[in-house]
Amino acid sequence: MLKNLLIKTAFVVLLLMVPLKAEDGYRLWLRYDKISDEETANRYKQFLKGYFIEYDSPTIAIIKNELQTALNGLLGKNISRTDNPEKNNIIIIGSPDRSPVVSSLISNNELINCGNEGYIIKTISTEGKERILITGKSDVALLYGVFNLLRLMQTHSSIENLYISSMPKIKIRVLNHWDNLDRTVERGYAGFSLWDWHKLPDYIDSRYFDYARANASIGINGTVLTNVNANALVLTPVYLEKVKALADIFRPYGIKVYLTARFSAPIEIGELDTADPLNNDVKTWWANKAKEIYGYIPDFGGFLVKANSEGQPGPQNYNRTHADGANMLADAVKPHGGIVMWRAFVYSADDKEDRAKQAYNEFKPFDGKFRENVLIQVKNGPIDFQPREPFHPLFGAMPQTPLMMEYQITQEYLGQGTSLAYLSTLFKEVLESDTHAKGEGSTVAKIIDGTLDRLELTGIAGVSNIGTDRNWTGHTFGQANWYAFGRLAWNHEINSDQIADEWLRMTFTDNKDFVDQIKELMMNSRETVVNYMTPLGLHHIMGWHHHYGPAPWIKDKHRDDWTSVYYHRADEKGIGFDRTQTGSDAVSQYFSPVARKFSSLEQCPEEYLLWFHHVDWDYVTKSGRTLWDELCYRYYEGAESAGQMRTTWNSQQGRIDDERFNRVKMLLNIQYKEAIWWRNACVLYFQTFSKKAIPDDFEKPDKTLEYYMNLEFPYAP
Ligand code: GCW
C-alpha cells in the first residue's frame, strides 16, 4: 500500500516538474507567454495598474477577458478593473459616445477619420498621471485597439508616449472558406472543415470562439463559410439554424457571416423550374430567401457567387449576363443591407481565346452596370493563383465598379501542405503593381482601397488555409500567411518584413538571432518556390487535377486550358506563351506603358518573360546566359535555396520548443526533396525540346524523365 502510494506520489511530482504546456501551435500568435526579460516586464507593469471601462457589452466582455489572459500571461499579473478613472497608470477603454469619462479625454472630432472600426491609442499625461486611452466609435474598434496594444507588448515594443491612430484601408476583409457541407475542404491541406455542420447548432465547439478571436486580432471582419463550388442546401432552414449559431458567436468579434449562393438554388431547393435571373418568380424566390436569412441573422453579410465557371450554373445558362445575375441577387439583399461578391474567375472550355484574357473580355463591358452593393471579386492574376503572375488586367479597367482582391492563402499551387512559402511578399508585389490606369502611381492597392476611383465599397478576400489540424494550418508557417493576409487587409502599406518580424516574435521567440535568420528565410521563401517550380514566368505546369508536384508533360485532356502544354508551349525553337500582338495579344488588356513594357522582349521583366513571350532557347537573358542555361540556373538555384532553408532552420535548434522545431524541420526536408523533384522533372522534360545539355556545373538528375512521368498520387489531397 505505502509503496504504491509513494510510487504514485513520485509520479505526480515528476509530472509537475515536466513543463506541461504542449507547444502544438494551437495558440497561434496569441501565446502571451511570460516576458522573460525582467526590465521590459517591469516597465510594462508600471503602466498597467488597472483598467477602467464604464459600460458593458458582449464585445467589452471579450476585451476584458483578453486583457486578463494577456497580462496574466505576459506579466504574470492580474490586472483589475478600477472604478476610479483618475488613478495613475491605468488603461481607459471606451467610446466618447458611451463613456462620459472618455469624452472628457478626447473629442469626437479627433476620431473623425477613424470610421466605425478605427481606433486611437493615446497616452494621456496630466497632472503627473500617465493613462493609456484606447478609444474608437464602436466596441469592435476598441477590441482592435486592445489587440494592437497587446501586440506592442508581445513584440516587446514601448508602450510609453503612445499616439497610434489606425483605421482599416479596406472595408470588407474576409476569409473565403472553400469548405463543403460534408466537412471536406477544397484545396485544404490542414484537415477537415472547422464547421461541424452535423452537430451544429446544439454542439458548439470552443474552437469557433478561438477562430473568431484570432481573426479579430488581425482585423478580419467577415467569413464566407462555404465553398464557391456551392451547395444550395446551406440556404435551407436546417442549415440556416446552424449558420445562425456561428454568426451569433462571431458577431461580438466584429465578424460577419456570408454564404455562397448556388445560382440554381431556386430549382434545387425551391419549387421552380428555372433560375433565370430576369424571371419574376426567380427574383421573388431570392428576395424571400434573403428575407428568411435575415430573419435568422439580422447582420448577414451577403452572398459570394461563382457563376458560369468550371461547371457552376449561372445567368449565362439562360442567355443572361453576369450583370443580370449579380444585380438580381443584389436587389434581393439590398433591403437588408447585404452585398454581393461576384467572382470574375470565369473562363470557358468552348472559348478558344487565351484563358488569361477571358475574364477581362467578359467583365469590362459591364463597368458601371452593376448595382451599388455589388463587388466584383478578381483573383490577383489572370490565370489562377500561380506562384507568380502579373497582376490581373481587370484592375484599373473598371473604374466605376468596386473590384475586390481575391488571394489564395491556402497553397494549392505553392507546395500545398508541405511547403514554407511566405506569401506576404506575393500579396505586396501585386498590391504595389502600377496599372497606370490613371497615370503613374495607379497601383492595384489604390484600386482595391477605393482611393483611385473614389469608391466607397471596398473589399479583399483570402481563400483560407485553416482546418481542423491542431495548429490550424498544418504547416506552422501557414499561420504566417493567415496573419499576413489580415494585417495587409487592414493596412496594405505595412511591409512584409515587419509583418514577419511581428509574427515570429509573437509565435516563437524574441531571440534576435532566430528572428533575423528566420525572417530572412521567410522573405526569400516565395522566390525560392518560384525558382524551383515555375521560373521566368512559367505557369500552370503542376500535377493533373490535384496540382501536386511537377507535370509539365500534361496534354491531350478534354480541356486544353487544363493541360500544361497549353501554358508553356515548349517546342524545338523555344518556350513560353506569346501573349504579344503576334500571339494572343493579352498585353493589350493592360494600360499602354504597362502593355508596351510587357510586349517588348527586352523590357519585359524577366520574372514574366515566358508568361508573355515565346523565347528562343538561345536568346541571351540579362545574366548573359542563354535562355536554356538561365532556366536550368533558376531551377538549380531554387532547389539549392530550398536546401539552404533547411540548413538555416536546423541551426536554430534549441532556440524554440522541440515540438514545433521538429515539425518544421521534417517539413523542410520534404520541401527540399520536392524542390529537387521539381527541378529534375522540369529540366529533363524541357530538355527534350531544347536538346541542350544541362550546364556542366550542375549535378545531373539521378532519375529519368520516365521515372518522374510515371509517378502517381491517387490520394493527393
Ligand atoms: O484554383 C482553382 C481550383 C479550384 C477552385 C477554382 C476557383 C473552388 O483548382 O479548386 O474551385 O480555382 O477558384 O473557383
Side-chain angles (χ1 to χ4, degrees), residues 295-362:
Y296 289 97
I297 307 153
D299 57 350
F300 178 65
F303 294 128
L304 168 65
V305 189
K306 172 177 179 178
N308 293 120
S309 167
E310 300 184 332
Q312 291 300 300
Q316 292 178 336
N317 298 29
Y318 307 93
N319 292 322
R320 311 297 186 197
T321 67
H322 282 285
D324 293 331
N327 289 342
M328 181 271 294
L329 286 176
D331 290 341
V333 292
K334 168 92 193 175
H336 316 279
I339 58 156
V340 169
M341 299 170 279
W342 190 271
R343 292 176 93 224
F345 179 68
V346 299
Y347 63 106
S348 145
D350 310 321
D351 192 342
K352 288 296 155 230
E353 183 59 281
D354 175 2
R355 172 173 167 188
K357 293 177 73 179
Q358 293 184 33
Y360 178 102
N361 289 346
E362 193 74 63

Side-chain angles (χ1 to χ4, degrees), residues 282-297:
V282 172
K283 288 187 198 171
T284 311
W285 189 88
W286 279 109
N288 288 337
K289 185 48 79 182
K291 198 165 163 217
E292 182 188 348
I293 297 174
Y294 281 91
Y296 289 97
I297 307 153

Side-chain angles (χ1 to χ4, degrees), residues 519-566:
K519 187 165 50 175
E520 195 183 325
L521 178 157
M522 289 171 77
M523 292 297 288
N524 296 329
S525 59
R526 182 268 186 142
E527 202 63 44
T528 294
V529 171
V530 169
N531 278 335
Y532 69 70
M533 284 189 183
T534 51
L536 296 168
L538 285 174
H539 50 289
H540 219 302
I541 54 173
M542 290 74 187
W544 170 249
H545 203 73
H546 50 57
H547 299 154
Y548 174 64
W553 44 80
I554 302 280
K555 58 177 182 184
D556 300 333
K557 295 286 184 187
H558 65 287
R559 280 183 76 149
D560 276 356
D561 54 4
W562 284 358
T563 66
S564 302
V565 297
Y566 174 90

Side-chain angles (χ1 to χ4, degrees), residues 178 186-187 227-229 306 309-310 343 345 355 379 384-385 406 408 412-413 545 547:
W178 286 356
E186 183 155 349
R187 312 302 178 185
N227 192 353
V228 288
N229 290 328
K306 172 177 179 178
S309 167
E310 300 184 332
R343 292 176 93 224
F345 179 68
R355 172 173 167 188
K379 287 190 182 181
D384 190 11
F385 299 139
E406 178 174 338
Q408 194 178 44
E412 174 180 1
Y413 294 100
H545 203 73
H547 299 154

Side-chain angles (χ1 to χ4, degrees), residues 178-179 184-193 408-419 463-469 471-476 478 545-549 667 715-717:
W178 286 356
D179 293 19
T184 54
V185 180
E186 183 155 349
R187 312 302 178 185
Y189 311 101
F192 288 91
S193 168
Q408 194 178 44
I409 310 175
T410 190
Q411 291 167 237
E412 174 180 1
Y413 294 100
L414 285 103
Q416 307 189 345
T418 46
S419 294
V463 178
S464 153
N465 62 348
I466 307 168
T468 50
D469 276 8
N471 72 353
W472 303 85
T473 54
H475 200 307
T476 306
H545 203 73
H546 50 57
H547 299 154
Y548 174 64
L667 288 169
Y715 300 112

Side-chain angles (χ1 to χ4, degrees), residues 272-283:
L272 305 188
D273 54 12
T274 177
D276 180 349
L278 300 192
N279 176 294
N280 280 334
D281 293 340
V282 172
K283 288 187 198 171

